Amino acid sequence: MFDVEKIKKDFPILDQEIYGKKLVYLDSAATTQKPKQVINEVSKFYSSLNSNIHRGVHYLSIKSTEEYEKSRDTVCKFINAKHTEEIIFTKGTTEAVNLTAYSFGERFVNEGDEILVAKTEHHSNIVPWQMLCYRKNAVLKVIPADENGELKINEYKKLLNPKTKLVAVAHIANSTGVINPIKEIIDAAHNNGTYVLIDGAQAVQHKQVDVQSLDCDFYAFSGHKMFAETGIGVLYGKKEILEDIPPYQGGGDMIKTVSFEKTEYADLPYKFEAGTSNYVGAISIAKAIEYMQSVGLDEIEIYEKKLLKYATDKLLSIDKIKIYGQTEKKISAISFLLNGIHHYDTGMILDKLGIAVRTGTHCAEPTMKHFGIDGTVRASFAMYNTKEDIDKLYEGLMRVKKMFA
Ligand code: PMP
């Protein structure tokens, strides 16, 4: 049984007042809060096991290394990767995309080749590809979207051609919550001999992801958006591709031997993990996964779907509200504007009522431009949000409207 009140109690930060009002946290797409199980695990680790990994022969170092590698195993099973060494720890989604753009780009992208990104991407799944295109004299092409922020799949298929080397698309768009049809995108790309990276930053905390059944070549996500620490993330890549592409950064841990004449790189996954990894962050991801699994990924998805429907219906009952990304195929975020009221004003008034929402472009300027606006208010949910949170948002928005009437 999904028990939101019990879940909420696991997140200590939610139990506080802001400006004398009970906190209503509706900014989980920016970062999720952390359950005490994760916080305690990190504290316990620093209090009893901490030592640098892959370095020492002493007890603590061996234990730290074991915990780090166990976390890789947990992540591997969580997304159903085939091999543990397909899991690369990065500092987040951004670094995972940059790693791919660099290493894949060095190996596979040449002058005149094309990279496809969706119009509704987060900047971190646009700019690294743009940088690659500058470097290689390649061409960045854009998959168009319709007025709801849904991708035009037929147009996408027409863009695929022998020069298309890679397609980079979000599983779920962060600025609208729209779920992209990634299976169809991946299958069409593969039929064209094109590789695919999926940005899963907004997906893994809301639904079960299976990289083998998706058959994507790369899948990226961040710890801090899935109830774990910040400064840690994951790049999944198919083993045969990761083996074939050069490392992203050089340094300790990513080598077998070094001499001034020649360096031999380490095997996977270490080839892509130069320097001291955020091993505590990795351990926090494993604990966050354990926490999500104890609640149940399917249960989380079902609950959040109901909550989104409740929130959408409630907000749509407000006169002259416009929701951007209004479609059935979405998850846990509502991006909106109250007619004539600037998103910052709405956000600042809501803040004074103890309600945390996001305002602005959500690191997706091209998406905002597509909608012909300079930003939205975004309320985003996680498994700990309740109908009462939505009711408070509704009341807050009514206050905003009254103030601007
Ligand atoms: N992609 C998407 C879809 C996101 O929502 C975000 C974070 N807002 C990122 C990429 C970047 O994630 P990070 O800042 O954790 O690297």
Side-chain angles (χ1 to χ4, degrees):
M1 266 296 283
F2 186 93
D3 183 350
V4 69
E5 290 306 328
K6 181 166 171 280
I7 291 167
K8 205 166 179 171
K9 284 201 186 92
D10 285 335
F11 291 78
I13 200 171
L14 298 176
D15 185 24
Q16 65 170 310
E17 294 191 343
I18 305 281
Y19 308 119
K21 307 270 186 330
K22 190 104 178 99
L23 168 66
V24 176
Y25 187 74
L26 297 174
D27 195 18
S28 291
T31 200
T32 57
Q33 299 301 353
K34 322 301 170 198
K36 60 178 190 261
Q37 288 81 348
V38 169
I39 299 169
N40 293 345
E41 184 74 9
V42 169
S43 168
K44 194 176 97 193
F45 184 84
Y46 277 126
S47 310
S48 58
L49 287 184
N50 179 52
S51 183
N52 205 335
I53 52 167
H54 300 148
R55 295 232 188 341
V57 291
H58 62 81
Y59 179 84
L60 290 181
S61 178
I62 293 165
K63 282 288 169 199
S64 275
T65 305
E66 274 172 16
E67 291 301 312
Y68 180 65
E69 293 305 333
K70 258 203 284 184
S71 303
R72 198 190 306 277
D73 222 32
T74 303
V75 173
C76 174
K77 293 194 178 89
F78 176 58
I79 58 169
N80 193 31
K82 199 167 176 186
H83 308 283
T84 315
E85 59 270 36
E86 294 179 318
I87 306 300
I88 314 289
F89 284 116
T90 65
K91 69 183 164 118
T93 306
T94 304
E95 191 178 53
V97 177
N98 275 280
L99 186 165
T100 311
Y102 179 83
S103 299
F104 176 89
E106 280 305 292
R107 169 73 180 84
F108 287 111
V109 179
N110 297 304
E111 184 167 349
D113 285 341
E114 295 177 6
I115 303 288
L116 267 182
V117 297
K119 197 169 192 184
T120 50
E121 291 308 303
H122 187 281
H123 297 161
S124 66
N125 203 23
I126 298 174
V127 183
W129 303 111
Q130 216 165 30
M131 288 162 67
L132 166 65
C133 289
Y134 291 148
R135 210 165 59 237
K136 293 281 184 167
N137 259 328
V139 183
L140 189 72
K141 295 229 164 148
V142 181
I143 306 166
D146 68 14
E147 66 282 3
N148 292 321
E150 290 188 88
L151 300 183
K152 294 185 175 171
I153 291 302
N154 289 337
E155 302 287 315
Y156 156 67
K157 289 178 182 166
K158 282 187 221 153
L159 283 167
L160 290 166
N161 72 72
K163 289 182 177 168
T164 319
K165 285 292 150 75
L166 182 137
V167 181
V169 176
H171 195 159
I172 295 169
N174 70 303
S175 60
T176 57
V178 170
I179 305 172
N180 291 323
I182 54 168
K183 185 62 186 148
E184 203 180 341
I185 289 173
I186 293 163
D187 290 348
H190 286 172
N191 281 338
N192 190 59
T194 300
Y195 295 90
V196 184
L197 174 136
I198 301 295
D199 169 353
Q202 295 295 341
V204 285
Q205 63 280 49
H206 300 299
K207 63 200 276 103
Q208 189 72 60
V209 169
D210 181 332
V211 290
Q212 285 192 72
S213 87
L214 283 173
D215 196 28
C216 53
D217 302 294
F218 301 98
Y219 195 98
F221 52 97
S222 297
H224 71 97
K225 291 183 197 284
M226 54 180 290
F227 315 105
E229 288 197 308
T230 188
I232 185 74
V234 172
L235 175 68
Y236 157 82
K238 280 184 186 159
K239 189 176 170 186
E240 61 274 20
I241 307 172
L242 292 176
E243 274 173 346
D244 197 23
I245 62 180
Y248 171 50
Q249 294 180 329
D253 244 19
M254 54 76 73
I255 49 89
K256 266 186 192 151
T257 61
V258 178
S259 73
F260 287 110
E261 291 70 40
K262 189 177 182 310
T263 288
E264 209 184 319
Y265 304 134
D267 292 331
L268 289 178
Y270 312 112
K271 180 171 104 174
F272 292 103
E273 293 183 355
T276 299
S277 300
N278 182 357
Y279 52 93
V280 187
I283 288 157
S284 80
I285 284 199
K287 198 68 193 177
I289 288 172
E290 202 180 283
Y291 182 82
M292 283 190 279
Q293 287 172 336
S294 75
V295 176
L297 266 298
D298 291 341
E299 284 73 14
I300 293 171
E301 189 177 356
I302 293 165
Y303 174 76
E304 288 187 14
K305 254 188 198 152
K306 279 192 210 146
L307 194 68
L308 179 68
K309 167 134 183 41
Y310 180 79
T312 306
D313 290 347
K314 192 108 194 174
L315 262 57
L316 281 175
S317 73
I318 299 173
D319 192 31
K320 292 192 177 136
I321 192 168
K322 179 164 170 54
I323 293 180
Y324 294 86
Q326 181 131 342
T327 151
E328 289 289 302
K329 293 170 225 134
K330 63 185 281 187
I331 250 177
S332 289
I334 303 182
S335 223
F336 64 93
L337 284 175
L338 293 174
N339 188 36
I341 305 174
H342 198 273
H343 45 92
Y344 287 151
D345 291 329
T346 305
M348 278 164 67
I349 296 167
L350 289 177
D351 173 53
K352 295 294 175 289
L353 299 170
I355 304 165
V357 291
R358 194 70 160 191
T359 58
T361 64
H362 319 295
C363 294
E365 283 183 30
T367 312
M368 297 300 121
K369 197 167 169 199
H370 171 70
F371 290 133
I373 53 179
D374 69 352
T376 67
V377 181
R378 183 188 66 190
S380 58
F381 321 116
M383 60 168 122
Y384 42 63
N385 287 114
T386 61
K387 283 184 175 174
E388 290 71 48
D389 292 338
I390 309 300
D391 294 343
K392 293 242 179 72
L393 172 67
Y394 172 84
E395 285 158 24
L397 291 173
M398 296 310 277
R399 280 274 288 276
V400 174
K401 282 200 70 161
K402 218 171 176 177
M403 286 174 76
F404 280 84

